[in-house]
Amino acid sequence: MNTTFQHTKIAVSSATDTPKSYLSRLQSLGVGAWSLETTRPGTTRVFYTDDKSRQYPIDSPAGLIEQAAKLAESRSTSICVIENISAEWIASLGAAWDIDPYFFATHAENRDQDDLWHPSLNFNWNSDALNRDSGPSSEASRPSFLGGPIEYLEGIFQYPQLLPSAVDWLMKVPPPNHVRRLYFKEGKWPVQSNTRISYCRPNISMYLFLVDAPLEFPRSFLDPSSSDLPTLRFPYAINTGGVELQRSLSDSQNNYSVYEVLKTFCQHSWHHKLLFDLRSKRIDESHNVIPGPAFIYLLASCLWEEKLRYLDKEIKYISFQEIRNPRLETNNVLHDRREDLARLKRELVRAAMHVPSEVEKYFETYWSGGAYYSRITPGVSEHFKRLIEDTSKLEAFLMETFTLFMSSINVQDTRLSMDQSQRASRLTILAFIYVPLSFVTGVFGMNIQQINGSGLNIWVCFVALVAVVFLTVAVFWVVKLLGDRKATNDSKV
């Protein structure tokens, strides 16, 4: 079911709002359709961290409200990510923080299926207002790219590993989210579903993110012949494919968790500076947030760098450690990493070619100062080009690792051959001792006088044994001399 709300800001909640009255105000917007009053099995998860990357365990709305108050009092910035927010959390947080109910209502909104891949990119950003040094604070105008204290990002999941029958199953079973999303299959494209990242600033020192829970599918709906993984794209680019967000390294093969992605983003303290340094002396009092399209490119850049660091660490560990005593399974691992690098480079090239000029201008002008801004300057495209160069260098290092791996395998095979030769030499020595004895006992058949009173004397057997031993030694030395002479002649040639 698609729900559309009028994009007109309603009055903020009053300080006297109770959770019950706040929920009633939200339901008056027509939000009851997404089960504010039902009891679905989905679990709400909360990740809360501050500007020192300290994490705080949160298990209730009251606990989050209390911890946020402590951090705000100490003037520490914080980021809160809530997955699959429930009515209880909405009512408590909305009433305590005076959050506009429109924020939660729009988070539950689903765009029309035909419009998911075609978002509106009317940035209407004033370049002059982007300049961080556009005059004294008393004369500074409010930058036009700051649309307000609320932002939403439309994303589309693609599940190439799913069979088409999974769509019917998704429509019948209770979804994992309190917010019901769209599931569909069109033409040659894989199974898709929409999602939404919503964020605001409840107070001047805090960001609040809302995300959906990941979908989980029974094995019966997974295509056994497909090795593809779920992908998430945000259509905020000048091409139709949008920007792909890399999966979190902690995700399972068949899941994609936006919650884990944002946790990765929040682990870097400089991201806190980028989110909160919106001209703190001028306009921060309005609780403005970073624009959605700019945030997507910042988030994508973080995930690409994280994936590149992971691949660099794993490839170099193989090259410097495992390759000393290589296993055949290492070959498969190296091929997997080569495939990961190729996919990463393809998406980086694609993103660098289709960055909207407004996003480029945003990072070039607004973030033009401070030590921690150097990681995204002189521009988004240039930053992506640097990542592409780093990926190409790692690809070259990987190919060298392949060469060293094959050399190590050859050395290992040579060592194994030498060990086998030594064992064969020991067997030859044993054969040198026992073959003559076996020959003699076979000839005489142990039919001697001392045993059964018939045949030859036992001393005849020993005389024959000595003769055969001398004959064996003579043949052995003749063969050895011929081999040494042949080796000498070959070395002279």
Side-chain angles (χ1 to χ4, degrees), residues 42-45 82-85 107 157 159 175-179 181 183 193-196 210-216 255-260:
T43 302
T44 298
R45 290 198 297 171
I82 301 181
E83 178 188 81
N84 193 22
I85 191 168
H107 176 69
F157 281 110
Y159 304 95
N177 288 289
H178 296 287
V179 178
R181 298 303 185 188
Y183 315 104
S193 68
N194 69 315
T195 190
R196 178 167 281 193
L210 304 182
V211 298
D212 294 331
L215 298 178
E216 297 184 1
N255 287 345
Y256 187 117
S257 173
V258 183
Y259 177 84
E260 296 296 336

PDB file of all heavy atoms in Angstrom, residues 42-45 82-85 107 157 159 175-179 181 183 193-196 210-216 255-260:
ATOM      1  N   GLY A  42       8.848  -7.934  14.337  1.00  0.00           N
ATOM      2  CA  GLY A  42      10.113  -7.260  14.078  1.00  0.00           C
ATOM      3  C   GLY A  42      10.720  -6.653  15.330  1.00  0.00           C
ATOM      4  O   GLY A  42      10.031  -6.120  16.197  1.00  0.00           O
ATOM      5  N   THR A  43      12.036  -6.710  15.429  1.00  0.00           N
ATOM      6  CA  THR A  43      12.759  -6.205  16.591  1.00  0.00           C
ATOM      7  C   THR A  43      13.397  -4.860  16.267  1.00  0.00           C
ATOM      8  O   THR A  43      13.957  -4.668  15.188  1.00  0.00           O
ATOM      9  CB  THR A  43      13.852  -7.192  17.015  1.00  0.00           C
ATOM     10  OG1 THR A  43      13.252  -8.449  17.305  1.00  0.00           O
ATOM     11  CG2 THR A  43      14.595  -6.686  18.245  1.00  0.00           C
ATOM     12  N   THR A  44      13.317  -3.924  17.206  1.00  0.00           N
ATOM     13  CA  THR A  44      13.962  -2.628  17.054  1.00  0.00           C
ATOM     14  C   THR A  44      15.382  -2.702  17.608  1.00  0.00           C
ATOM     15  O   THR A  44      15.586  -3.140  18.736  1.00  0.00           O
ATOM     16  CB  THR A  44      13.178  -1.533  17.790  1.00  0.00           C
ATOM     17  OG1 THR A  44      11.865  -1.426  17.207  1.00  0.00           O
ATOM     18  CG2 THR A  44      13.873  -0.190  17.678  1.00  0.00           C
ATOM     19  N   ARG A  45      16.358  -2.289  16.799  1.00  0.00           N
ATOM     20  CA  ARG A  45      17.758  -2.258  17.239  1.00  0.00           C
ATOM     21  C   ARG A  45      18.242  -0.811  17.249  1.00  0.00           C
ATOM     22  O   ARG A  45      17.859  -0.009  16.384  1.00  0.00           O
ATOM     23  CB  ARG A  45      18.652  -3.090  16.323  1.00  0.00           C
ATOM     24  CG  ARG A  45      18.447  -4.582  16.429  1.00  0.00           C
ATOM     25  CD  ARG A  45      19.645  -5.337  15.851  1.00  0.00           C
ATOM     26  NE  ARG A  45      19.822  -5.092  14.427  1.00  0.00           N
ATOM     27  CZ  ARG A  45      20.896  -5.488  13.734  1.00  0.00           C
ATOM     28  NH1 ARG A  45      21.885  -6.110  14.354  1.00  0.00           N
ATOM     29  NH2 ARG A  45      20.968  -5.247  12.436  1.00  0.00           N
ATOM     30  N   ILE A  82      18.543   3.875  14.374  1.00  0.00           N
ATOM     31  CA  ILE A  82      17.472   2.995  14.839  1.00  0.00           C
ATOM     32  C   ILE A  82      16.965   2.172  13.666  1.00  0.00           C
ATOM     33  O   ILE A  82      16.532   2.721  12.649  1.00  0.00           O
ATOM     34  CB  ILE A  82      16.314   3.781  15.467  1.00  0.00           C
ATOM     35  CG1 ILE A  82      16.814   4.620  16.650  1.00  0.00           C
ATOM     36  CG2 ILE A  82      15.210   2.839  15.923  1.00  0.00           C
ATOM     37  CD1 ILE A  82      15.720   5.416  17.344  1.00  0.00           C
ATOM     38  N   GLU A  83      17.035   0.869  13.820  1.00  0.00           N
ATOM     39  CA  GLU A  83      16.544  -0.048  12.791  1.00  0.00           C
ATOM     40  C   GLU A  83      15.159  -0.550  13.169  1.00  0.00           C
ATOM     41  O   GLU A  83      14.943  -1.022  14.276  1.00  0.00           O
ATOM     42  CB  GLU A  83      17.511  -1.229  12.639  1.00  0.00           C
ATOM     43  CG  GLU A  83      17.061  -2.267  11.624  1.00  0.00           C
ATOM     44  CD  GLU A  83      17.936  -3.516  11.651  1.00  0.00           C
ATOM     45  OE1 GLU A  83      17.721  -4.374  12.533  1.00  0.00           O
ATOM     46  OE2 GLU A  83      18.839  -3.602  10.798  1.00  0.00           O
ATOM     47  N   ASN A  84      14.223  -0.426  12.222  1.00  0.00           N
ATOM     48  CA  ASN A  84      12.864  -0.953  12.403  1.00  0.00           C
ATOM     49  C   ASN A  84      12.202  -0.336  13.632  1.00  0.00           C
ATOM     50  O   ASN A  84      11.809  -1.019  14.574  1.00  0.00           O
ATOM     51  CB  ASN A  84      12.904  -2.482  12.521  1.00  0.00           C
ATOM     52  CG  ASN A  84      11.529  -3.104  12.403  1.00  0.00           C
ATOM     53  OD1 ASN A  84      10.607  -2.506  11.843  1.00  0.00           O
ATOM     54  ND2 ASN A  84      11.370  -4.302  12.940  1.00  0.00           N
ATOM     55  N   ILE A  85      12.054   0.979  13.601  1.00  0.00           N
ATOM     56  CA  ILE A  85      11.501   1.693  14.742  1.00  0.00           C
ATOM     57  C   ILE A  85      10.036   1.324  14.940  1.00  0.00           C
ATOM     58  O   ILE A  85       9.271   1.189  13.982  1.00  0.00           O
ATOM     59  CB  ILE A  85      11.678   3.217  14.568  1.00  0.00           C
ATOM     60  CG1 ILE A  85      11.347   3.936  15.866  1.00  0.00           C
ATOM     61  CG2 ILE A  85      10.854   3.736  13.393  1.00  0.00           C
ATOM     62  CD1 ILE A  85      11.773   5.401  15.882  1.00  0.00           C
ATOM     63  N   HIS A 107       8.824   8.948   6.762  1.00  0.00           N
ATOM     64  CA  HIS A 107       9.681   7.759   6.750  1.00  0.00           C
ATOM     65  C   HIS A 107       8.882   6.526   6.324  1.00  0.00           C
ATOM     66  O   HIS A 107       9.426   5.613   5.686  1.00  0.00           O
ATOM     67  CB  HIS A 107      10.297   7.528   8.131  1.00  0.00           C
ATOM     68  CG  HIS A 107      11.109   6.283   8.227  1.00  0.00           C
ATOM     69  ND1 HIS A 107      12.312   6.111   7.574  1.00  0.00           N
ATOM     70  CD2 HIS A 107      10.881   5.111   8.898  1.00  0.00           C
ATOM     71  CE1 HIS A 107      12.791   4.906   7.831  1.00  0.00           C
ATOM     72  NE2 HIS A 107      11.949   4.282   8.630  1.00  0.00           N
ATOM     73  N   PHE A 157      16.673  -1.965  -3.300  1.00  0.00           N
ATOM     74  CA  PHE A 157      17.394  -3.225  -3.176  1.00  0.00           C
ATOM     75  C   PHE A 157      17.176  -4.058  -4.434  1.00  0.00           C
ATOM     76  O   PHE A 157      16.075  -4.080  -4.996  1.00  0.00           O
ATOM     77  CB  PHE A 157      16.903  -4.033  -1.972  1.00  0.00           C
ATOM     78  CG  PHE A 157      17.457  -3.576  -0.657  1.00  0.00           C
ATOM     79  CD1 PHE A 157      16.646  -2.946   0.269  1.00  0.00           C
ATOM     80  CD2 PHE A 157      18.789  -3.781  -0.350  1.00  0.00           C
ATOM     81  CE1 PHE A 157      17.146  -2.528   1.487  1.00  0.00           C
ATOM     82  CE2 PHE A 157      19.305  -3.366   0.861  1.00  0.00           C
ATOM     83  CZ  PHE A 157      18.485  -2.740   1.787  1.00  0.00           C
ATOM     84  N   TYR A 159      17.851  -8.155  -5.658  1.00  0.00           N
ATOM     85  CA  TYR A 159      18.180  -9.487  -5.150  1.00  0.00           C
ATOM     86  C   TYR A 159      18.345 -10.461  -6.330  1.00  0.00           C
ATOM     87  O   TYR A 159      17.432 -11.219  -6.647  1.00  0.00           O
ATOM     88  CB  TYR A 159      17.081  -9.991  -4.210  1.00  0.00           C
ATOM     89  CG  TYR A 159      16.784  -9.062  -3.063  1.00  0.00           C
ATOM     90  CD1 TYR A 159      15.761  -8.130  -3.137  1.00  0.00           C
ATOM     91  CD2 TYR A 159      17.529  -9.122  -1.888  1.00  0.00           C
ATOM     92  CE1 TYR A 159      15.481  -7.274  -2.080  1.00  0.00           C
ATOM     93  CE2 TYR A 159      17.262  -8.265  -0.826  1.00  0.00           C
ATOM     94  CZ  TYR A 159      16.238  -7.347  -0.924  1.00  0.00           C
ATOM     95  OH  TYR A 159      15.963  -6.506   0.119  1.00  0.00           O
ATOM     96  N   PRO A 175       6.035  -8.936   7.101  1.00  0.00           N
ATOM     97  CA  PRO A 175       7.388  -8.416   6.838  1.00  0.00           C
ATOM     98  C   PRO A 175       8.153  -8.215   8.131  1.00  0.00           C
ATOM     99  O   PRO A 175       7.566  -8.093   9.212  1.00  0.00           O
ATOM    100  CB  PRO A 175       7.102  -7.072   6.142  1.00  0.00           C
ATOM    101  CG  PRO A 175       5.770  -6.663   6.667  1.00  0.00           C
ATOM    102  CD  PRO A 175       4.990  -7.931   6.875  1.00  0.00           C
ATOM    103  N   PRO A 176       9.485  -8.154   8.062  1.00  0.00           N
ATOM    104  CA  PRO A 176      10.284  -7.936   9.279  1.00  0.00           C
ATOM    105  C   PRO A 176      10.196  -6.509   9.795  1.00  0.00           C
ATOM    106  O   PRO A 176      10.601  -6.233  10.911  1.00  0.00           O
ATOM    107  CB  PRO A 176      11.706  -8.268   8.817  1.00  0.00           C
ATOM    108  CG  PRO A 176      11.699  -7.960   7.354  1.00  0.00           C
ATOM    109  CD  PRO A 176      10.326  -8.322   6.868  1.00  0.00           C
ATOM    110  N   ASN A 177       9.682  -5.584   8.969  1.00  0.00           N
ATOM    111  CA  ASN A 177       9.621  -4.180   9.345  1.00  0.00           C
ATOM    112  C   ASN A 177       8.220  -3.779   9.788  1.00  0.00           C
ATOM    113  O   ASN A 177       7.220  -4.296   9.278  1.00  0.00           O
ATOM    114  CB  ASN A 177      10.034  -3.297   8.162  1.00  0.00           C
ATOM    115  CG  ASN A 177      11.516  -3.361   7.886  1.00  0.00           C
ATOM    116  OD1 ASN A 177      12.324  -2.847   8.650  1.00  0.00           O
ATOM    117  ND2 ASN A 177      11.892  -4.009   6.797  1.00  0.00           N
ATOM    118  N   HIS A 178       8.159  -2.845  10.725  1.00  0.00           N
ATOM    119  CA  HIS A 178       6.883  -2.253  11.081  1.00  0.00           C
ATOM    120  C   HIS A 178       6.339  -1.409   9.930  1.00  0.00           C
ATOM    121  O   HIS A 178       5.143  -1.185   9.830  1.00  0.00           O
ATOM    122  CB  HIS A 178       7.034  -1.398  12.338  1.00  0.00           C
ATOM    123  CG  HIS A 178       7.414  -2.194  13.549  1.00  0.00           C
ATOM    124  ND1 HIS A 178       6.535  -3.032  14.195  1.00  0.00           N
ATOM    125  CD2 HIS A 178       8.586  -2.307  14.218  1.00  0.00           C
ATOM    126  CE1 HIS A 178       7.141  -3.609  15.221  1.00  0.00           C
ATOM    127  NE2 HIS A 178       8.386  -3.197  15.255  1.00  0.00           N
ATOM    128  N   VAL A 179       7.249  -0.949   9.065  1.00  0.00           N
ATOM    129  CA  VAL A 179       6.856  -0.226   7.861  1.00  0.00           C
ATOM    130  C   VAL A 179       6.848  -1.212   6.701  1.00  0.00           C
ATOM    131  O   VAL A 179       7.860  -1.849   6.426  1.00  0.00           O
ATOM    132  CB  VAL A 179       7.834   0.932   7.569  1.00  0.00           C
ATOM    133  CG1 VAL A 179       7.443   1.650   6.290  1.00  0.00           C
ATOM    134  CG2 VAL A 179       7.885   1.896   8.737  1.00  0.00           C
ATOM    135  N   ARG A 181       7.111  -2.212   2.942  1.00  0.00           N
ATOM    136  CA  ARG A 181       7.702  -1.677   1.722  1.00  0.00           C
ATOM    137  C   ARG A 181       7.164  -2.416   0.494  1.00  0.00           C
ATOM    138  O   ARG A 181       6.375  -3.355   0.612  1.00  0.00           O
ATOM    139  CB  ARG A 181       9.231  -1.788   1.778  1.00  0.00           C
ATOM    140  CG  ARG A 181       9.884  -1.001   2.919  1.00  0.00           C
ATOM    141  CD  ARG A 181       9.545   0.467   2.866  1.00  0.00           C
ATOM    142  NE  ARG A 181      10.259   1.242   3.886  1.00  0.00           N
ATOM    143  CZ  ARG A 181      10.031   2.519   4.145  1.00  0.00           C
ATOM    144  NH1 ARG A 181       9.081   3.173   3.474  1.00  0.00           N
ATOM    145  NH2 ARG A 181      10.709   3.147   5.082  1.00  0.00           N
ATOM    146  N   TYR A 183       7.573  -4.754  -2.943  1.00  0.00           N
ATOM    147  CA  TYR A 183       8.355  -5.862  -3.492  1.00  0.00           C
ATOM    148  C   TYR A 183       7.828  -6.130  -4.892  1.00  0.00           C
ATOM    149  O   TYR A 183       6.616  -6.284  -5.079  1.00  0.00           O
ATOM    150  CB  TYR A 183       8.223  -7.120  -2.629  1.00  0.00           C
ATOM    151  CG  TYR A 183       8.346  -6.864  -1.146  1.00  0.00           C
ATOM    152  CD1 TYR A 183       7.221  -6.864  -0.320  1.00  0.00           C
ATOM    153  CD2 TYR A 183       9.577  -6.596  -0.570  1.00  0.00           C
ATOM    154  CE1 TYR A 183       7.328  -6.622   1.039  1.00  0.00           C
ATOM    155  CE2 TYR A 183       9.694  -6.352   0.782  1.00  0.00           C
ATOM    156  CZ  TYR A 183       8.570  -6.362   1.588  1.00  0.00           C
ATOM    157  OH  TYR A 183       8.681  -6.108   2.933  1.00  0.00           O
ATOM    158  N   SER A 193      13.088  -4.336  -4.050  1.00  0.00           N
ATOM    159  CA  SER A 193      12.266  -3.758  -2.989  1.00  0.00           C
ATOM    160  C   SER A 193      12.819  -2.375  -2.668  1.00  0.00           C
ATOM    161  O   SER A 193      14.001  -2.106  -2.890  1.00  0.00           O
ATOM    162  CB  SER A 193      12.273  -4.642  -1.733  1.00  0.00           C
ATOM    163  OG  SER A 193      13.555  -4.634  -1.120  1.00  0.00           O
ATOM    164  N   ASN A 194      11.954  -1.506  -2.188  1.00  0.00           N
ATOM    165  CA  ASN A 194      12.406  -0.156  -1.861  1.00  0.00           C
ATOM    166  C   ASN A 194      12.739  -0.045  -0.384  1.00  0.00           C
ATOM    167  O   ASN A 194      12.346  -0.873   0.436  1.00  0.00           O
ATOM    168  CB  ASN A 194      11.340   0.870  -2.236  1.00  0.00           C
ATOM    169  CG  ASN A 194      10.118   0.773  -1.339  1.00  0.00           C
ATOM    170  OD1 ASN A 194       9.632  -0.319  -1.063  1.00  0.00           O
ATOM    171  ND2 ASN A 194       9.620   1.913  -0.882  1.00  0.00           N
ATOM    172  N   THR A 195      13.498   0.967  -0.061  1.00  0.00           N
ATOM    173  CA  THR A 195      13.826   1.252   1.331  1.00  0.00           C
ATOM    174  C   THR A 195      14.002   2.751   1.472  1.00  0.00           C
ATOM    175  O   THR A 195      14.018   3.491   0.467  1.00  0.00           O
ATOM    176  CB  THR A 195      15.097   0.510   1.780  1.00  0.00           C
ATOM    177  OG1 THR A 195      15.252   0.636   3.188  1.00  0.00           O
ATOM    178  CG2 THR A 195      16.338   1.074   1.102  1.00  0.00           C
ATOM    179  N   ARG A 196      14.126   3.217   2.697  1.00  0.00           N
ATOM    180  CA  ARG A 196      14.273   4.656   2.918  1.00  0.00           C
ATOM    181  C   ARG A 196      15.170   4.877   4.129  1.00  0.00           C
ATOM    182  O   ARG A 196      15.019   4.237   5.166  1.00  0.00           O
ATOM    183  CB  ARG A 196      12.907   5.304   3.136  1.00  0.00           C
ATOM    184  CG  ARG A 196      12.962   6.804   3.413  1.00  0.00           C
ATOM    185  CD  ARG A 196      11.593   7.443   3.307  1.00  0.00           C
ATOM    186  NE  ARG A 196      11.224   7.655   1.918  1.00  0.00           N
ATOM    187  CZ  ARG A 196      10.192   8.416   1.519  1.00  0.00           C
ATOM    188  NH1 ARG A 196       9.428   9.009   2.423  1.00  0.00           N
ATOM    189  NH2 ARG A 196       9.930   8.563   0.247  1.00  0.00           N
ATOM    190  N   LEU A 210      16.878   6.728  10.794  1.00  0.00           N
ATOM    191  CA  LEU A 210      15.919   5.624  10.778  1.00  0.00           C
ATOM    192  C   LEU A 210      16.170   4.780   9.541  1.00  0.00           C
ATOM    193  O   LEU A 210      16.278   5.310   8.423  1.00  0.00           O
ATOM    194  CB  LEU A 210      14.475   6.152  10.749  1.00  0.00           C
ATOM    195  CG  LEU A 210      14.041   7.108  11.870  1.00  0.00           C
ATOM    196  CD1 LEU A 210      12.576   7.464  11.696  1.00  0.00           C
ATOM    197  CD2 LEU A 210      14.291   6.494  13.238  1.00  0.00           C
ATOM    198  N   VAL A 211      16.271   3.463   9.724  1.00  0.00           N
ATOM    199  CA  VAL A 211      16.499   2.546   8.606  1.00  0.00           C
ATOM    200  C   VAL A 211      15.607   1.317   8.762  1.00  0.00           C
ATOM    201  O   VAL A 211      15.081   1.042   9.850  1.00  0.00           O
ATOM    202  CB  VAL A 211      17.984   2.105   8.523  1.00  0.00           C
ATOM    203  CG1 VAL A 211      18.890   3.290   8.283  1.00  0.00           C
ATOM    204  CG2 VAL A 211      18.396   1.363   9.789  1.00  0.00           C
ATOM    205  N   ASP A 212      15.444   0.594   7.664  1.00  0.00           N
ATOM    206  CA  ASP A 212      14.643  -0.632   7.673  1.00  0.00           C
ATOM    207  C   ASP A 212      15.504  -1.827   8.046  1.00  0.00           C
ATOM    208  O   ASP A 212      16.730  -1.825   7.850  1.00  0.00           O
ATOM    209  CB  ASP A 212      14.019  -0.881   6.291  1.00  0.00           C
ATOM    210  CG  ASP A 212      13.003   0.194   5.922  1.00  0.00           C
ATOM    211  OD1 ASP A 212      12.394   0.754   6.852  1.00  0.00           O
ATOM    212  OD2 ASP A 212      12.833   0.477   4.724  1.00  0.00           O
ATOM    213  N   ALA A 213      14.834  -2.867   8.541  1.00  0.00           N
ATOM    214  CA  ALA A 213      15.523  -4.125   8.852  1.00  0.00           C
ATOM    215  C   ALA A 213      15.770  -4.895   7.551  1.00  0.00           C
ATOM    216  O   ALA A 213      15.013  -4.765   6.585  1.00  0.00           O
ATOM    217  CB  ALA A 213      14.690  -4.969   9.817  1.00  0.00           C
ATOM    218  N   PRO A 214      16.820  -5.698   7.486  1.00  0.00           N
ATOM    219  CA  PRO A 214      17.092  -6.472   6.255  1.00  0.00           C
ATOM    220  C   PRO A 214      16.087  -7.595   6.071  1.00  0.00           C
ATOM    221  O   PRO A 214      15.546  -8.137   7.042  1.00  0.00           O
ATOM    222  CB  PRO A 214      18.506  -7.019   6.496  1.00  0.00           C
ATOM    223  CG  PRO A 214      18.634  -7.092   7.985  1.00  0.00           C
ATOM    224  CD  PRO A 214      17.841  -5.931   8.525  1.00  0.00           C
ATOM    225  N   LEU A 215      15.842  -7.930   4.815  1.00  0.00           N
ATOM    226  CA  LEU A 215      14.956  -9.047   4.502  1.00  0.00           C
ATOM    227  C   LEU A 215      15.739 -10.351   4.585  1.00  0.00           C
ATOM    228  O   LEU A 215      16.913 -10.417   4.219  1.00  0.00           O
ATOM    229  CB  LEU A 215      14.370  -8.889   3.101  1.00  0.00           C
ATOM    230  CG  LEU A 215      13.488  -7.655   2.869  1.00  0.00           C
ATOM    231  CD1 LEU A 215      13.016  -7.618   1.416  1.00  0.00           C
ATOM    232  CD2 LEU A 215      12.303  -7.648   3.801  1.00  0.00           C
ATOM    233  N   GLU A 216      15.075 -11.389   5.056  1.00  0.00           N
ATOM    234  CA  GLU A 216      15.663 -12.724   5.122  1.00  0.00           C
ATOM    235  C   GLU A 216      14.760 -13.686   4.373  1.00  0.00           C
ATOM    236  O   GLU A 216      13.534 -13.641   4.506  1.00  0.00           O
ATOM    237  CB  GLU A 216      15.840 -13.167   6.572  1.00  0.00           C
ATOM    238  CG  GLU A 216      16.797 -12.297   7.358  1.00  0.00           C
ATOM    239  CD  GLU A 216      17.023 -12.805   8.761  1.00  0.00           C
ATOM    240  OE1 GLU A 216      16.429 -13.861   9.095  1.00  0.00           O
ATOM    241  OE2 GLU A 216      17.784 -12.172   9.516  1.00  0.00           O
ATOM    242  N   ASN A 255      21.987 -11.326   3.020  1.00  0.00           N
ATOM    243  CA  ASN A 255      21.395 -10.161   3.661  1.00  0.00           C
ATOM    244  C   ASN A 255      22.162  -8.895   3.297  1.00  0.00           C
ATOM    245  O   ASN A 255      23.335  -8.940   2.943  1.00  0.00           O
ATOM    246  CB  ASN A 255      21.382 -10.310   5.188  1.00  0.00           C
ATOM    247  CG  ASN A 255      20.353 -11.313   5.647  1.00  0.00           C
ATOM    248  OD1 ASN A 255      19.466 -11.696   4.903  1.00  0.00           O
ATOM    249  ND2 ASN A 255      20.477 -11.762   6.885  1.00  0.00           N
ATOM    250  N   TYR A 256      21.448  -7.778   3.395  1.00  0.00           N
ATOM    251  CA  TYR A 256      22.086  -6.477   3.257  1.00  0.00           C
ATOM    252  C   TYR A 256      21.488  -5.595   4.342  1.00  0.00           C
ATOM    253  O   TYR A 256      20.296  -5.288   4.322  1.00  0.00           O
ATOM    254  CB  TYR A 256      21.836  -5.864   1.874  1.00  0.00           C
ATOM    255  CG  TYR A 256      22.625  -4.594   1.624  1.00  0.00           C
ATOM    256  CD1 TYR A 256      23.575  -4.535   0.626  1.00  0.00           C
ATOM    257  CD2 TYR A 256      22.416  -3.454   2.391  1.00  0.00           C
ATOM    258  CE1 TYR A 256      24.297  -3.374   0.389  1.00  0.00           C
ATOM    259  CE2 TYR A 256      23.135  -2.305   2.181  1.00  0.00           C
ATOM    260  CZ  TYR A 256      24.069  -2.255   1.176  1.00  0.00           C
ATOM    261  OH  TYR A 256      24.789  -1.115   0.951  1.00  0.00           O
ATOM    262  N   SER A 257      22.294  -5.165   5.299  1.00  0.00           N
ATOM    263  CA  SER A 257      21.815  -4.406   6.444  1.00  0.00           C
ATOM    264  C   SER A 257      22.282  -2.961   6.350  1.00  0.00           C
ATOM    265  O   SER A 257      23.484  -2.681   6.439  1.00  0.00           O
ATOM    266  CB  SER A 257      22.314  -5.033   7.754  1.00  0.00           C
ATOM    267  OG  SER A 257      21.983  -4.217   8.855  1.00  0.00           O
ATOM    268  N   VAL A 258      21.344  -2.029   6.167  1.00  0.00           N
ATOM    269  CA  VAL A 258      21.680  -0.607   6.176  1.00  0.00           C
ATOM    270  C   VAL A 258      22.141  -0.191   7.567  1.00  0.00           C
ATOM    271  O   VAL A 258      22.986   0.695   7.728  1.00  0.00           O
ATOM    272  CB  VAL A 258      20.468   0.234   5.731  1.00  0.00           C
ATOM    273  CG1 VAL A 258      20.827   1.711   5.673  1.00  0.00           C
ATOM    274  CG2 VAL A 258      19.965  -0.238   4.364  1.00  0.00           C
ATOM    275  N   TYR A 259      21.612  -0.831   8.574  1.00  0.00           N
ATOM    276  CA  TYR A 259      22.006  -0.588   9.958  1.00  0.00           C
ATOM    277  C   TYR A 259      23.511  -0.825  10.135  1.00  0.00           C
ATOM    278  O   TYR A 259      24.225   0.005  10.719  1.00  0.00           O
ATOM    279  CB  TYR A 259      21.185  -1.507  10.858  1.00  0.00           C
ATOM    280  CG  TYR A 259      21.499  -1.466  12.335  1.00  0.00           C
ATOM    281  CD1 TYR A 259      20.941  -0.496  13.158  1.00  0.00           C
ATOM    282  CD2 TYR A 259      22.321  -2.426  12.920  1.00  0.00           C
ATOM    283  CE1 TYR A 259      21.207  -0.468  14.527  1.00  0.00           C
ATOM    284  CE2 TYR A 259      22.587  -2.408  14.278  1.00  0.00           C
ATOM    285  CZ  TYR A 259      22.031  -1.431  15.077  1.00  0.00           C
ATOM    286  OH  TYR A 259      22.294  -1.416  16.419  1.00  0.00           O
ATOM    287  N   GLU A 260      24.017  -1.937   9.621  1.00  0.00           N
ATOM    288  CA  GLU A 260      25.447  -2.238   9.730  1.00  0.00           C
ATOM    289  C   GLU A 260      26.277  -1.275   8.894  1.00  0.00           C
ATOM    290  O   GLU A 260      27.398  -0.920   9.265  1.00  0.00           O
ATOM    291  CB  GLU A 260      25.708  -3.682   9.289  1.00  0.00           C
ATOM    292  CG  GLU A 260      25.064  -4.738  10.169  1.00  0.00           C
ATOM    293  CD  GLU A 260      25.618  -4.744  11.585  1.00  0.00           C
ATOM    294  OE1 GLU A 260      26.767  -4.283  11.775  1.00  0.00           O
ATOM    295  OE2 GLU A 260      24.910  -5.208  12.501  1.00  0.00           O
TER     296      GLU A 260
END
